Amino acid sequence: MQIELLSNSIDIKKYLKELGVESGGVGIMSAKAAHHTLYIRDLHVGGANILKQDALSVGADLAVPRGTVVAKTPHVDCILIATSKQLELLSKKELLQPFGLKEAAKKFQEILKIKKPKDVEVMGVINANDDSFFSESRFKEGSAIEAIERMIADGAHIIDIGGVSSAPNSARVDKYEELRRVKPILDAIQGEKLFNKVKFSIDSYEPDVISYALDSGFKIVNDITGLADKEVCRLCASYDATAVIMHMQKKPQTMQENPEYENILSDIYSFFGQRIKEAKAMGVKDIVLDVGIGFGKTLEHNLMLIKHHEHFLTLGKSLLIGASRKSMIDKISPSLPKERLAGTIALHLEAVRNGASIIRVHDVREHIQALKIQQALNAI
């Protein structure tokens, strides 16, 4: 007899099918193999005691603070540990219970519906300015077209064009100067018919710049202000463009001045929920979410957002991550932007493992290779 310890990240359904398990058994057993760890905040203590007993009854468990059983405090935080099968059973049980458990049950059901994307798109970065933090991403008209064609050859799915740096403490640029910077590149893209080879995104929150890009054939609006300007919403709706809603605390000039959150995951989740609702009401159909790595976040905030990226999949939107060569890498491993490729790939692969389906990068070829290796590992 031989016993082999298998990775928890395997495609368990594939293994069960190869073993010859009946189709019904594959579904049942794979649900038992998938584990969920849910941090539940501010649950009524009565609900915590009910959920604790119900969890134990189905083979799951709920970690609660001391004193919960005697209702020492009116509300508690707790951690639920359950397989998919156990979570499904709990979602049915708690629908009939008081103390907020009905709402918890609905959330359990949302979580069970999550399906991580299988395909990942690589978005290459082209900056039409002189002050982006990574100098090798800065291009003028002629060199920009060469860089775009190189990225296309390297396998890019999307090219993101921006004329204004959004790095911390970056200078404010008016819309006229921004348009002056990007217009030659946009015109050249249209003239070279590069839209036939790749999708293009405009990295801007200025309606005039966005309008020109959409008129030029761009299909994606990458807005670091998260559609704060309703005119940007209207443009996305009228052109049937994809809107990337990014979260940023404050403005680029002030965003890194002591960023604080009550709870980073829940706060950004609530922000997304509100902005999605507003965008849909204005007719925006296709929405992508970006948690905004480095935009008003500490190192710990950034790491939390990447590690728990899957949390945002219950919003039902594609997730974009952009950590390319950012200063969070320097805070972990001191380095200049040109020395941060390895750290960038590590962060992006972790985000992809946790649900990201678009990665915004300076280095297309290297990311395409890394993704192919990860996909090969996932297929085992």
Side-chain angles (χ1 to χ4, degrees):
M1 180 177 69
Q2 297 174 329
I3 299 177
E4 302 168 346
L5 176 63
L6 302 180
S7 167
N8 286 328
S9 64
I10 62 171
D11 182 352
I12 187 63
K13 288 186 177 180
K14 175 184 174 183
Y15 277 71
L16 292 172
K17 289 176 182 176
E18 290 177 350
L19 193 65
V21 176
E22 293 182 2
S23 58
V26 169
I28 293 171
M29 294 182 194
S30 61
K32 293 179 179 179
H35 285 77
H36 305 274
T37 304
L38 309 183
Y39 200 114
I40 304 172
R41 299 182 185 275
D42 203 30
L43 178 62
H44 190 286
V45 69
N49 281 309
I50 292 172
L51 185 57
K52 174 76 171 178
Q53 294 305 312
D54 285 346
L56 291 172
S57 74
V58 300
D61 208 342
L62 185 75
V64 297
R66 294 187 192 93
T68 299
V69 69
V70 294
K72 187 176 179 181
T73 56
H75 293 83
V76 296
D77 292 351
C78 44
I79 297 176
L80 176 63
I81 304 167
T83 65
S84 290
K85 183 61 178 177
Q86 292 161 353
L87 196 61
E88 180 184 1
L89 294 172
L90 284 173
S91 72
K92 295 175 182 177
K93 280 177 171 283
E94 308 318 313
L95 279 173
L96 305 174
Q97 298 291 1
F99 304 124
L101 290 176
K102 183 175 181 179
E103 289 72 23
K106 291 177 180 178
K107 193 66 180 181
F108 297 165
Q109 291 171 353
E110 288 180 8
I111 291 168
L112 287 167
K113 291 177 182 176
I114 287 177
K115 290 185 179 179
K116 291 183 182 179
K118 293 183 179 180
D119 298 321
V120 179
E121 292 185 303
V122 174
M123 173 189 276
V125 178
I126 298 289
N127 289 311
N129 56 54
D130 297 320
D131 56 348
S132 287
F133 78 95
F134 183 44
S135 60
E136 293 180 33
S137 70
R138 305 172 194 162
F139 301 96
K140 300 295 184 181
E141 178 186 350
S143 62
I145 296 303
E146 291 177 8
I148 290 168
E149 290 178 332
R150 185 166 58 251
M151 287 180 178
I152 293 171
D154 287 341
H157 306 90
I158 307 167
I159 305 293
D160 194 40
I161 312 289
V164 178
S165 173
S166 55
N169 302 312
S170 56
R172 185 84 167 90
V173 175
D174 67 40
K175 61 184 180 182
Y176 304 106
E177 172 62 16
E178 182 182 352
L179 185 57
R180 186 193 68 78
R181 293 177 180 182
V182 299
K183 185 177 181 297
I185 299 176
L186 271 55
D187 291 345
I189 289 169
Q190 191 172 31
E192 296 288 334
K193 294 184 170 59
L194 295 178
F195 294 110
N196 297 328
K197 298 180 180 180
V198 72
K199 292 182 285 187
F200 283 91
S201 166
I202 184 67
D203 178 5
S204 178
Y205 50 88
E206 285 289 354
D208 288 355
V209 176
I210 291 169
S211 178
Y212 191 88
L214 295 175
D215 279 335
S216 300
F218 278 50
K219 298 297 183 184
I220 303 170
V221 175
N222 186 11
D223 182 0
I224 65 169
T225 70
L227 302 185
D229 188 332
K230 301 311 170 194
E231 180 58 26
V232 176
C233 256
R234 282 189 281 271
L235 285 168
C236 289
S238 61
Y239 283 86
D240 200 21
T242 298
V244 179
I245 297 176
M246 196 197 80
H247 175 273
M248 173 173 59
Q249 194 175 79
K250 304 177 185 176
K251 297 178 180 180
Q253 294 75 22
T254 59
M255 63 188 180
Q256 288 306 108
E257 295 177 2
N258 301 314
E260 293 182 4
Y261 298 86
E262 184 173 341
N263 178 268
I264 186 72
L265 298 179
S266 294
D267 288 359
I268 293 180
Y269 193 97
S270 296
F271 167 84
F272 281 149
Q274 183 60 36
R275 290 296 168 90
I276 290 170
K277 182 179 178 181
E278 293 170 357
K280 284 185 173 179
M282 296 188 69
V284 180
K285 296 177 183 176
D286 191 25
I287 295 171
V288 173
L289 304 176
D290 178 356
V291 295
I293 297 299
F295 286 81
K297 283 97 178 174
T298 64
L299 172 60
E300 184 178 359
H301 291 149
N302 290 323
L303 292 173
M304 284 282 289
L305 289 167
I306 291 172
K307 189 69 176 179
H308 304 298
H309 213 52
E310 188 175 353
H311 172 66
F312 301 98
L313 285 177
T314 55
L315 288 163
K317 306 298 178 186
S318 296
L319 304 179
L320 182 153
I321 195 76
S324 189
R325 297 183 180 269
K326 290 189 175 179
S327 62
M328 67 173 292
I329 299 168
D330 175 57
K331 290 180 173 66
I332 300 169
S333 177
S335 51
L336 297 172
K338 65 181 181 180
E339 301 168 331
R340 299 174 191 164
L341 176 57
T344 295
I345 292 175
L347 292 172
H348 282 161
L349 289 182
E350 179 67 15
V352 168
R353 273 191 291 270
N354 296 322
S357 58
I358 304 173
I359 49 177
R360 185 177 183 273
V361 310
H362 296 101
D363 310 277
V364 171
R365 179 171 57 84
E366 291 83 354
H367 277 84
I368 291 291
Q369 184 183 75
L371 286 170
K372 286 180 178 179
I373 300 302
Q374 187 184 55
Q375 288 165 355
L377 286 167
N378 290 342
I380 295 298

